[in-house]
Amino acid sequence: MSPLDSYGPPGSLDDLDETGLKAWNIFISENVDRSIQGPDPTQVLNDSPRSQFYNLTKTDTAADVQEAIVTWTAFPRLIKVHSLSDTQRWKRADASRDVQDEYCEWSVTRNAAGKITKVMFTCEGPEYWQLLAQSAPAKVLELYQTHISPNVKHGDLFGSTGTYNARNQWNDSTAHGAMHLIQRNNTLGAEIELAAAATIVRVINGHELAAEQELIQCSQYGEPERNSDPHIGGAVNAIARQKADISLANPVGLYFDNLATDGWATPDGSDPKSYWIRQRGDESHPVRFVYEVPQDKGFTVGDITINGRPIQYGAQIADFITIKLTAVACRFGQSTTQPKTACAQLAPAPVEPAAVARNISAISGGGYHAASALTSHTRRR
């Protein structure tokens, strides 16, 4: 299979014009190339290059290609493991987008009685929106008005110089809307870097690392307590250990995988999954959903139960959502890249003679000084 002509937009979205599409291809391709190169080896040891990771637009994909879909739960595991009860963790996850760090964020709409009427879910990376804002600002406003509120104004999204504010009033909370990801770790750049870093096979003291936690601790490619990072890294590394070349499938992105509604019940017996509505992205690469019951049904999201408990938090739904990425691998058994025999670590700072001399001087400056000791009222007896 010949190299791709270009990387496509996430979800095969049609928002970008020709210039925007070209810019997106450049952005993804450059990020992949940087991730292949890895960090400067004079600054970080044992983490570069990542020669089993490849750019789909520059290297062919062989006939033995296989896809690997990696999925994980959308509810933030860091919140779960540090909470004492379900109610506490649901409240904490609903309180701030900054803790929604599994590449899925949400915002909850309630009626006057406090019942949930709609929950917006997004997994769209912020980089796409920054590019769209530069190439088609009118489209950004149109999308906000369509998906968040017709009351959104240009000045709500853009500063006086025309710069897009990703954390604007319509996209910075769990109550006023969620257009795209804003949590600092939820980026496409992070996804690409993690996948590339995870292709490094490591054999430490004769032991080939294979478990998710030992891999992420050694390779330092993410947060060990998340659902996403260790699992992505472990899945990618398992393929790398088969001596294959690996990349992220086109279109590169983070996508919704599924909403499981086993144990859910609606007041009228209707299928609870029918209220899970895709709004953006194609069927295979969805990037935006809302969970909402039509008004003519006579009940709200808050009247639906999960395992007998009414939905009072958007986080209860997130418990049942899975997010995915797709890797492609080929040339199985052919890679000649040798495993790293040490973990990733910062390189020691270079030793400067002048700094060493200053340290020695500081040490020699202490100790017993007769004159000062004799005149001191606090001298040791």
Side-chain angles (χ1 to χ4, degrees), residues 145-169:
Q145 290 175 337
T146 299
H147 295 294
I148 305 298
S149 169
N151 298 323
V152 179
K153 299 178 177 60
H154 182 275
D156 297 336
L157 310 178
F158 296 89
S160 58
T161 61
T163 301
Y164 174 63
N165 175 19
R167 299 193 71 134
N168 60 76
Q169 68 187 70

Side-chain angles (χ1 to χ4, degrees), residues 36 49-54 199-200 245 335 337-338:
I36 293 170
R50 289 81 173 261
S51 53
Q52 285 180 251
F53 200 64
Y54 74 101
T199 62
I200 294 179
D245 291 340
S335 176
T337 302
Q338 295 300 303

